[in-house]
Amino acid sequence: MDRPALTAALDAAAAHEVVVVKAGPGWGKTTSVAAWAATRRACWLGVDRADTSLERLSRGLLRALRQRLPHLPAELVTTTAQGADTVAALVCGLLDAHLDEPLVLVVDDAGLLGGDSECARLLEALCRRGPDLLRLVLVTGDELAFDPGPAAEIGSRELAFTEREIAALVDDDPAEVLARTGGWPAAVVLGGGEPAELVSAVLAAEPEENRDLLRAIACLGSASTALCLALGFTDVRDRLPGLARRGLVSGPEWSVLEPVAEVLRRDTEDEEVRVKAAVFCERTGAPAEALRHLVAVRRWDLVAQLLLRRDEQIVAGGDADAVLAALEQLEVDDSRLHLVWGFALQHRGDWLGALHSYEQAGEIGVRLSWRMGQLHALAGQTGEAVELFERTVFDDVASLDEVRLLSLAVGWFRETGRHDRARELAERCAEAARRCTGHAAFAWSSRAFGLLAGFDGERAPFEMHYGQAVDRARRAGCRVLELTIRCERASFLVETGPARAVAEIDEVLVFGRQAGLTGHELACRGVRARANVRLGRFDDALRDAGQCAKDLVTKAEVHRRRGEPGQAQAFLDEALALPGTDPLVPATLARVVAGEDVRRARELAEHAVATSQALRSGEVPALLARGWVAVLAGDRETARADAASARALAGRRGDRAGLADALQLAAATSADREALLAEAVMVWRAAGDPVGEAAAELAAARLTGVDVSRWENALRARGVRTDVRMADVLGTSAPRTARIVVRTLGGFQVLRDGAPVPSASWQSKKARDLLKILAANRGRPVPRPQLVELLWPDDLSDRTANRLSVLLSTLRAVLSAPGLPADAEPLVADRDTVSLDLSLVDLDVAEFLDAANAALAAHRRADPAALSLLTDADELHVGEFLAEEPYEQWAVQAREEVRGRYTAVLRALVQLVRDPDQQVGYLVRMLELDPYDESAHVRLVKALRAAGRHGEARRRYQVYLEQMREIGVLPVEPDLFGAKGSEVLRAG
C-alpha cells in the first residue's frame, strides 16, 4: 500500500547520516522500511540473536553491501581478530573507494546487539565515522545499546496508519477504527477488533513497573508527567519517552494506545488512583478535572466538599454543565449546595432557576448576597440588590467573598443615587481587601474605585483604578474576573472613546472563547452595540443589541438617528415597562415624540433631567433632550441654558458625541449658527461618527441655502431620513413645505406643513383608519359602501353613512394646510366615492411603486439607466407598508404588492451590481422579506465567498440548509462546500 506521509517522513529523515526507526511490536517497522528501501538505492542487514560474534556480523555486513557494490571483496575474516575499530576502518575505507553516489544501509533489529559487544561497537563506529555518502537506517523495537551519535528518529506516530490508509484496508468506518486503534497497524490489520493476544504479548514484554504506570494512565484517560509523579511513579521522566517510542503512549499529555488501554481498564481498581489524581488536579488549579475523577468513582462525599470549595472556579472555566450533572447525582444533604446549584444555573443563563436555588440556601451570608445580588442587578433590579445587601449577615473574618460583595454593592448604591454610601462602601472594600490580601481581593477593590470615577467622569482616576484592577485579576489568574472588569471598563469607554470600547470588547470576546468562557458575551455585545451607535455603525449595533433595558434603548437610539420615530418609540415603550430608573429611556423618548406631541415630550424630558441629577448619571443626554424639545416648543431660553450646561459637562467628561450635539443645540438658539455647526462637524469627525458629521454639515448647508443634495445623499446611503421632524439638528433644521405628506412605509405618519399632525387633531382612530384605507388604494376612488363595510363591519344600522360623513370632515381638516391653493382639496369626496388627490398629497407607497415599476421596466429592456433607477427605488423603500395593521385585509393586499415589487427590485440589483459586498447587502434584505427564498440563500453564500467572507458564508450556508429543512424542501445545492464541508456543517 502506498503510504505517502510515511515515505515523506523517511525521505526527510534520510537526509541525516543516521536514522533510527523505533517502535514496539505490531507497528510494522520492518515492513514499512523495507517497502521504502525497495524504491531507493539501499541494502539490507538483518540482525538476529545468533549474531553475537564480530566475524558473523562482519560477513553479514559485507554481504549486504555487496548487494549494491558487487566489486567489494568477499571476505574480511582475517581482520576480525583485530577488533571492531579495525573492521570499521576497513569497511569505511572500502566504501570511500567504491561509493560514488548515496547508499542506504538498513540494519534491522539493531537493538538486539548488546552494549558491551564488539558488534555494537562496529555499528557505532559506522554511524559516527562512516563516509558522507553512506546513510544508516537502524530499525529497533528496544533502546539501542550503543550511541549512534546525532540521528533522526521515526517512531510510532509516523508509522501509525492514517484515516485514508485505514479506509483502503478495512470496510468499517475508518474514523471509528482510527479512534479505536490509534492507527496501530497490527490492530488495524486485525479488522479494528480487539487484538487481545497481541496486547498481552506487548504487555508481557514490559517490566512490572511499566505495566503499573500504563494501568494508571489508562484508568485516568490521560495524565501529565507531573501527575504521574504525584501518583508515586518516580522515574517517569525516563520511562514515558521510551514507552512513547514503542508506541504504547503518546504525549506530552500522556495517554495509552486505545487497544492497550481497553485491556488494562478491565481489571483495574481505579478509586485510589482517581482520588489521588483529584487531589493533584485541585492543587494545580484544575478543579474541573478533579470533579471528573471523583464523579467517575462516585465518591459523592468528596464531590460535595470539592464543589463547596471550588464551584466558582469550575463554573468560571466553562464547566457549569458538569457541576449540574454532579449535583443531580449527589446524595449529600447540605443547604450550602443550593448556592452551588444557583451559581451554575446563573452562568447557564437560567436566572429564574438560579434565583429559586438561592432562596433555598438559608441565611443571607456574604457569598449568597453577592451571587444573588449580582443576579438582581443583571436583571435590572438594582433596588432589590441594594435591599438584599442591607439584610446581609457579615462574618467577623474578612474574606474574598466579602470584598467582592462590597465592590458590587458600590455599583448598586451608586446606580440608585446613594452616592455617599457608595463611597463609604468603597472604603470598606479597600480595608477588607487589605485584611484579606491577595491579587483577586485588590482587583475587586480597585474596580470599586474605578467604577466611582467612571460614574463621575474623572478620566485619570478611572484609567488608573481599572488598569490596576485588570492587572491584579491577571496576576490572580482569575479569567472571569478579568473579563468582567474589562467589559465594565469598556462600558464607560463608550462615552469617551467608542472606538477603543469596540476594540476592548473584541479582545475580551476572543479571550473568553479561547478560555471556554461565554457567560459574559451578552453583556459584551450590549456594550459594543452602544459604542457602535456612537460611531454611526447602526447595522452592527442592531446585530449586537439584546433585550435588556439598555439594549432596547440602544435599538431605539439607532432608529431615532435614522429618522424612524415609530420603530424607536416601540422599543422605548418596551423599555419603560421594565424595572429600572435609567434616565436615558425618558430622554430618548422625549426626542422621539417631540415632533407629534411637544407637551408629552417636555414632561418626559423634565423627568429625565430630574432623574439624572438625582442619580448623577446620564445628565448630558437628559439636558440635550430637554433643550431640543424646548427648541421645537419655541422656548429659546431653556434651550440655550441646557446647551451651555450640556456643553460644559460633556467637555469635562470627554464625551465628544455629547459635546457635538450640545454645539448643535447652541447653534439652534444662537446668531452665530454657522460657526457653532462648523465646530460640531469637527467634533463629530474627531469622535469617528460620519453620520453625525454629515447631519451637522446638512444643517449648516440648509442655513446657507446651498445645494444640500450631497449631504442628503450621504445620509440616505446610511439609511438616515432627513425630513423627519424630531428633536435633533435635522428635525429642527428641516425646511417646511406646504404639501401634505402621508408616510405608510416603516410606520404611519402624516406631515402637514413639514410637521407631524398632533394626536389631538385626529379625534378618533377611525379617521386614521380611513386615511390608511385611502392610502392603500393609492388615489383610486373607493366606493362609500365599501368604506362603510371596512370601517364598521358589524354595524348594519343606517347611522354608518352619517358616521362616514363625520370622519370625512375630520380627515379634511387634518389634511388642510395654509400653503395650499384655495380651490385645492387633498381629500376628494363625491356622492359615490372617496379618494386622495396625489397631486396634492405626497404618498410614499405610491411614489415607491411608481419608481419600482419604472426601474423594473428599464431593467427588462436593458436600459443603461436601470441601475440608477433601481437604486433610487431601493432608497424609497424604508419599511413595510402599515406594519402596525398586520391583519387588515386591505392592508395585507397592499403590503404584499409592495413586498413583491421590492423583492423584484432587489433581485434586479443583485443581477446588475458586480461588487460582492453590495450583492450581499441586497440579498440579506431579500431574505428578511422571505427567509425561504432558496435562490437568494444560494446566491448569498456564493456572494460571501466571492467577497472573501468565508466564515459568514459557512454560517449562511447552515441557515440555508436549516430553512429548507423546515419547509421539507431538498436543497438544490446541498454541497456548496464539498462533501466534507457538508458533513461538518451537518454535524455542527
Side-chain angles (χ1 to χ4, degrees), residues 355-659:
L355 196 59
H356 178 70
S357 294
Y358 288 149
E359 287 170 350
Q360 300 178 67
E363 184 182 67
I364 302 177
V366 289
R367 176 169 291 191
L368 173 59
S369 187
W370 77 256
R371 291 186 179 186
M372 200 170 181
Q374 188 179 49
L375 189 57
H376 282 310
L378 288 171
Q381 301 168 342
T382 312
E384 294 191 29
V386 168
E387 182 184 344
L388 183 71
F389 176 85
E390 299 286 23
R391 293 189 286 120
T392 301
V393 177
F394 283 85
D395 300 324
D396 294 332
V397 180
S399 65
L400 181 58
D401 283 327
E402 179 182 347
V403 175
R404 188 187 337 240
L405 172 60
L406 290 168
S407 181
L408 290 170
V410 169
W412 304 337
F413 279 88
R414 180 61 180 79
E415 286 179 24
T416 52
R418 299 172 67 176
H419 317 295
D420 293 340
R421 185 70 189 283
R423 179 69 61 180
E424 173 202 332
L425 291 176
E427 297 294 343
R428 277 181 61 186
C429 181
E431 176 58 31
R434 283 191 289 271
R435 288 187 289 123
C436 181
T437 71
H439 291 302
F442 286 114
W444 280 107
S445 174
S446 297
R447 174 260 180 196
F449 286 101
L451 185 143
L452 290 176
F455 270 114
D456 293 337
E458 298 171 349
R459 283 179 280 173
F462 164 80
E463 294 285 356
M464 179 187 71
H465 289 303
Y466 268 105
Q468 290 175 347
V470 171
D471 179 61
R472 291 285 197 169
R474 197 168 288 154
R475 290 190 192 184
C478 186
R479 291 173 293 184
V480 170
L481 178 55
E482 181 183 348
L483 291 172
T484 300
I485 292 172
R486 291 183 66 182
C487 179
E488 191 172 83
R489 177 170 65 180
S491 70
F492 283 108
L493 290 174
V494 166
E495 183 180 280
T496 59
R500 186 179 160 201
V502 170
E504 177 92 355
I505 290 298
D506 288 342
E507 285 184 18
V508 168
L509 288 172
V510 170
F511 175 58
R513 288 166 189 159
Q514 289 173 344
L517 304 173
T518 57
H520 64 291
E521 289 197 357
L522 196 62
C524 283
R525 287 196 295 270
V527 172
R528 188 167 62 183
R530 294 196 293 278
N532 277 323
V533 173
R534 292 258 177 160
L535 296 169
R537 302 170 185 169
F538 298 145
D539 290 337
D540 291 342
L542 290 177
R543 274 195 295 272
D544 274 332
Q547 292 301 316
C548 70
K550 284 187 177 180
D551 286 352
L552 291 172
V553 177
T554 298
K555 293 177 182 179
E557 181 67 1
V558 168
H559 291 296
R560 183 192 72 78
R561 294 194 63 191
R562 279 180 166 172
E564 298 164 345
Q567 296 182 66
Q569 185 171 350
F571 285 116
L572 291 167
D573 288 342
E574 189 176 350
L576 280 174
L578 297 175
T581 54
D582 189 346
L584 272 177
V585 179
T588 309
L589 185 57
R591 298 182 70 160
V592 168
V593 303
E596 285 193 3
D597 192 341
V598 172
R599 178 181 296 177
R600 184 188 177 206
R602 297 199 80 163
E603 291 173 356
L604 287 165
E606 290 292 351
H607 173 62
V609 170
T611 304
S612 70
Q613 288 175 346
L615 298 177
R616 295 209 320 243
S617 174
E619 295 159 286
V620 171
L623 288 167
L624 289 170
R626 187 172 69 178
W628 281 114
V629 172
V631 170
L632 287 180
D635 183 356
R636 296 171 64 85
E637 291 303 318
T638 298
R640 189 178 295 114
D642 285 340
S645 299
R647 185 175 176 180
L649 189 55
R652 182 174 69 81
R653 296 179 67 92
D655 178 1
R656 288 177 174 170
L659 176 59

Side-chain angles (χ1 to χ4, degrees), residues 631-816:
V631 170
L632 287 180
D635 183 356
R636 296 171 64 85
E637 291 303 318
T638 298
R640 189 178 295 114
D642 285 340
S645 299
R647 185 175 176 180
L649 189 55
R652 182 174 69 81
R653 296 179 67 92
D655 178 1
R656 288 177 174 170
L659 176 59
D661 204 7
L663 289 167
Q664 293 170 164
L665 176 59
T669 60
S670 170
D672 197 12
R673 293 185 180 182
E674 291 185 38
L676 288 168
L677 287 173
E679 187 178 352
V681 168
M682 291 188 291
V683 176
W684 282 122
R685 189 176 299 148
D689 185 343
V691 175
E693 181 183 345
E697 288 180 320
L698 174 57
R702 284 171 172 172
L703 274 179
T704 57
V706 302
D707 182 16
V708 298
S709 58
R710 169 187 167 190
W711 294 283
E712 285 183 339
N713 291 336
L715 288 167
R716 288 194 191 109
R718 295 180 178 274
V720 177
R721 296 183 63 169
T722 61
D723 58 348
V724 179
R725 195 159 178 80
M726 284 195 293
D728 57 27
V729 72
L730 292 181
T732 57
S733 66
R736 292 176 177 265
T737 173
R739 294 180 62 102
I740 303 298
V741 178
V742 178
R743 290 179 181 154
T744 59
L745 302 178
F748 180 71
Q749 188 180 37
V750 179
L751 300 176
R752 185 177 60 198
D753 194 25
V757 174
S759 301
S761 299
W762 290 99
Q763 298 183 24
S764 74
K765 180 179 180 297
K766 291 293 184 183
R768 295 168 65 95
D769 291 343
L770 174 58
L771 180 56
K772 291 177 181 180
I773 294 170
L774 296 175
N777 284 273
R778 304 191 305 279
R780 296 189 297 268
V782 184
R784 285 178 178 250
Q786 183 179 345
L787 289 173
V788 168
E789 183 178 352
L790 292 173
L791 291 167
W792 298 280
D794 300 323
D795 192 341
L796 302 179
S797 68
D798 296 334
R799 295 173 299 174
T800 52
N802 289 333
R803 289 179 179 176
L804 179 60
S805 297
V806 172
L807 288 186
L808 289 173
S809 297
T810 300
L811 187 55
R812 189 172 284 110
V814 167
L815 298 180
S816 64

